[in-house]
Amino acid sequence: MRYTQYLLPTLKENPADAEVISHQLMMRAGMIRKVAAGIYSYLPFGLRSIRKMEQIVREEMDRAGAIECLMPMANPAELWQESGRWEKYGKELLRFKDRKETEFCMGPTHEEVVTDIIRNTVKSYKQLPLNLYQIQTKFRDEIRPRFGLMRGREFIMKDAYSFDLDDEGAAASYQKMYQAYRNIFQRCGLKFRSVEADSGAIGGSSSHEFMVLAESGEDAIVSCSGCEYAANVEKAEVLPPQAVEVVNGEPTKVETPECRSIEEVAEFLQRPSAQLVKTLIVETDQGACVAVLLRGDHELNEIKLSHVLGCDQIALADDDLVRKVTGAPVGYLGPLGMKLKVVADQALQGMSNFVVGANQVDSHFTGVNLGDFKVEQFADLRQAIVGDPCPRCAGGKFEIWRGIEVGHVFNLGTKYSEAMNATVLDDQGKARALVMGCYGIGIGRTVAAAIEQNHDENGMFLPLPLAPFQALVLIINPKDDTVREAAEAIYQALLDLGVEVLLDDRDERPGIKFKDADLVGIPLRITVGARSLKEGNVELKQRASGELQMLSVDAVAQRVRQLVSAALAAE
Ligand code: ATP
Ligand code: MG
């Protein structure tokens, strides 16, 4: 490809609305352009990376025995009503009507459609197992689309769905996908971890997320210093505390003027916040209010609490609601005399002689113990923190780092097959609901995550398997016939060897060309200029490592091809 005949509109400045590096660089390197919030066009240069990612995914899916299909973006409401998700999904689901007033949605994921295909085509256990996948455009009306392709509203996803007769088969299908995912992210040249995850609204019992490690990641991930345990913070289990000896005390009311926050009370009473208990009021999606107790220095994990309360979502009550349901002022809530149902984090079982609010302005109780009030249930309700002991091994401690979720594997069980009556006959002729799994990879998000992991102050350097081109031939002065002819010969030799090459034949100042080369980060750069050409040489530079080598005009193409083959084989 010749630059002069290509569309590669690089930008000098970062766009004002681009907060993270990958978004800035994808805009500046002419890979994407915004059309509306969370909706982008892929320009030719960006599309090349997207297609490479898709190809790696396709090859590994095929290798794992999954079969490619393609389902529609427009999904009829009917199917979604059958699964129950038409009601449940909320505003991320973009709904619309056709000219006959029939309701549709844009598919954010395709369990319904694929289950419908299978129930209409598969009748016998002998046709199983089956795994169908597609690489397709999804739409989710995200509340905060941001970070470019990382969290778009319209985005490309690979989604696969497995169908088995029983749990054992489903576990094997899950395992195959898990391994395929490891292969995929390894081939992309990414540093990643697979972590235990919460299965969220889609449902199902077990799930893993694949996380690319990056500072800008939206997810916090916990891993153990001593073993392989890793989990999303939403899910990370916290061990119960050591039992404590209760120091007998009497709840004593003390004045705490103007002290509402944990910090203010701790400071005023000269007690560490770990000796305070905070009381939060939450409202469930069924409209019930519950009081939740946590150690002062701990944070609530809303997902754990939702599971304990058996609801899909909870929200912290606002001040008005708190006053209405407790009759107490915000900032001074406590469990003594609380009228609402009380649930407590298990850490309280390791506390004695603590401080709680007195449900009265400017007052708290000290010397409080568990026997002084009623707790309906103790459970693991808090967010894991650095240094928590590992739930799987002795001596290991939690570390916390940030990551970008690029893939997700779920075991769905029979949630959809039962709701939609997708059954097959087993070897006894009995109808059985199919056991399903679903497996997603964000194609654009993975490319963006790869840039988050591979950039410097001058630009990006995508790993070669994902880079738009493998080699760049940069002509310092295309008006010099000797230089231009040597570069053309190298360009042709590379094309003949099957290397994906871009020839920068623009009549621009060398400074501009080098800047663009660094910005777009094609892995192997061959610079052809008059000075080195006098000795019959050109310069080969590797963008990621900065490694330089002088090579003869005749040898350079072969060397580039070797490096390309090595990079593709290594991953
Ligand atoms: P998140 O928690 O980031 O919203 P999710 O749990 O909703 O992700 P899944 O439903 O598991 O995501 O979708 C599978 C994959 O699709 C994700 O692992 C991610 O790579 C990608 N993905 C999800 N939402 C988006 C989005 N808004 N933009 C780009 N990619 C996305
Ligand atoms: Mg989401």
Side-chain angles (χ1 to χ4, degrees), residues 115 118 128-131 161-174 204-205 410-418 422-424 432-439:
T115 305
I118 296 294
L128 301 176
L130 272 177
N131 186 331
Y161 305 88
S162 64
F163 297 85
D164 282 274
L165 183 66
D166 51 27
D167 290 342
E168 207 183 334
S173 296
Y174 185 93
S205 46
F410 284 73
N411 184 344
L412 286 171
T414 53
K415 180 178 153 123
Y416 291 89
S417 50
E418 276 181 21
T423 60
V424 290
R432 282 167 69 163
L434 289 158
V435 187
M436 292 172 57
C438 74
Y439 317 92

Side-chain angles (χ1 to χ4, degrees), residues 29-299:
M31 296 178 98
I32 54 168
R33 284 295 182 267
K34 182 169 158 180
V35 179
I39 300 178
Y40 290 84
S41 291
Y42 304 94
L43 301 194
F45 196 66
L47 185 63
R48 291 184 70 101
S49 281
I50 295 288
R51 290 282 183 254
K52 288 199 171 177
M53 179 62 202
E54 290 178 357
Q55 192 51 27
I56 291 172
V57 168
R58 189 171 276 123
E59 286 170 16
E60 294 302 326
M61 284 292 119
D62 292 348
R63 196 207 303 268
I67 324 165
E68 187 166 5
C69 65
L70 186 59
M71 292 178 262
M73 275 184 87
N75 288 196
E78 240 168 55
L79 284 178
W80 283 69
Q81 280 153 352
E82 267 193 71
S83 72
R85 284 209 296 182
W86 187 256
E87 267 68 51
K88 270 204 155 175
Y89 211 97
K91 290 197 167 167
E92 260 187 38
L93 189 66
L94 182 67
R95 298 154 211 249
F96 60 98
K97 287 182 183 159
D98 69 7
R99 63 170 77 203
K100 293 182 188 145
E101 295 285 302
T102 313
E103 286 190 297
F104 283 85
C105 65
M106 298 282 261
T109 156
H110 278 76
E111 282 80 0
E112 285 77 1
V113 178
V114 77
T115 305
D116 184 53
I117 295 174
I118 296 294
R119 72 178 169 185
N120 291 324
T121 51
V122 176
K123 298 293 168 206
S124 157
Y125 74 98
K126 289 185 187 148
Q127 294 166 273
L128 301 176
L130 272 177
N131 186 331
L132 288 186
Y133 80 94
Q134 62 174 345
I135 298 175
Q136 188 252 13
T137 301
K138 298 278 181 272
F139 197 97
R140 294 183 183 180
D141 202 355
E142 297 272 355
I143 185 165
R144 262 195 305 280
R146 57 189 175 157
F147 305 160
L149 297 192
M150 199 88 88
R151 184 168 295 285
R153 292 197 294 165
E154 187 176 302
F155 60 97
I156 303 174
M157 193 202 283
K158 183 287 299 177
D159 44 332
Y161 305 88
S162 64
F163 297 85
D164 282 274
L165 183 66
D166 51 27
D167 290 342
E168 207 183 334
S173 296
Y174 185 93
Q175 203 47 43
K176 270 196 197 146
M177 284 295 108
Y178 183 88
Q179 189 51 48
Y181 274 40
R182 295 199 69 87
N183 298 346
I184 288 166
F185 297 117
Q186 211 137 12
R187 278 184 64 184
C188 294
L190 296 171
K191 289 191 268 308
F192 69 96
R193 295 276 192 287
S194 61
V195 307
E196 290 181 20
D198 185 84
S199 30
I202 298 195
S205 46
S206 68
S207 99
H208 283 88
E209 284 169 351
F210 287 76
M211 296 279 187
V212 167
L213 310 187
E215 274 307 309
S216 60
E218 289 186 280
D219 289 278
I221 300 147
V222 163
S223 69
C224 172
S225 59
C227 74
E228 288 294 293
Y229 181 74
N232 193 308
V233 136
E234 290 173 354
K235 160 93 187 227
E237 296 160 39
V238 175
L239 286 176
Q242 306 270 331
V244 287
E245 216 173 298
V246 174
V247 185
N248 271 332
E250 268 298 305
T252 313
K253 197 184 276 184
V254 294
E255 280 196 19
T256 49
E258 295 293 322
C259 297
R260 285 185 188 83
S261 69
I262 288 288
E263 294 74 36
E264 285 163 350
V265 179
E267 164 88 37
F268 183 79
L269 296 177
Q270 289 293 298
R271 300 271 292 259
S273 51
Q275 288 180 15
L276 272 54
V277 165
K278 58 182 164 195
T279 305
L280 308 173
I281 307 299
V282 301
E283 190 184 14
T284 71
D285 49 7
Q286 290 121 32
C289 285
V290 178
V292 183
L293 307 183
L294 289 162
R295 204 171 86 179
D297 57 334
H298 288 158
E299 295 302 326

Side-chain angles (χ1 to χ4, degrees), residues 339-404:
K339 285 172 267 174
L340 298 174
K341 166 173 153 176
V342 175
V343 296
D345 179 57
Q346 59 188 7
L348 265 71
Q349 292 172 305
M351 295 176 73
S352 77
N353 198 14
F354 44 86
V355 179
V356 301
N359 296 320
Q360 197 183 325
V361 175
D362 293 347
S363 356
H364 281 76
F365 280 113
T366 60
V368 178
N369 285 295
L370 288 180
D372 298 328
F373 54 91
K374 184 160 172 260
V375 175
E376 199 101 0
Q377 189 180 356
F378 289 95
D380 174 11
L381 299 177
R382 74 166 168 93
Q383 208 84 288
I385 50 177
V386 173
D388 275 339
C390 175
R392 301 286 157 84
C393 75
K397 296 240 181 302
F398 278 174
E399 293 164 352
I400 294 190
W401 28 273
R402 301 207 71 78
I404 299 165

Side-chain angles (χ1 to χ4, degrees), residues 16 25 78 104 148 220 277 283 293 301 312 363 370 424 427 443 486 492 518 536 554 562:
L25 290 178
E78 240 168 55
F104 283 85
V277 165
E283 190 184 14
L293 307 183
N301 180 320
D312 284 327
S363 356
L370 288 180
V424 290
D427 58 355
I443 300 291
Q492 195 53 52
D518 281 344
D554 298 333
Q562 281 167 1

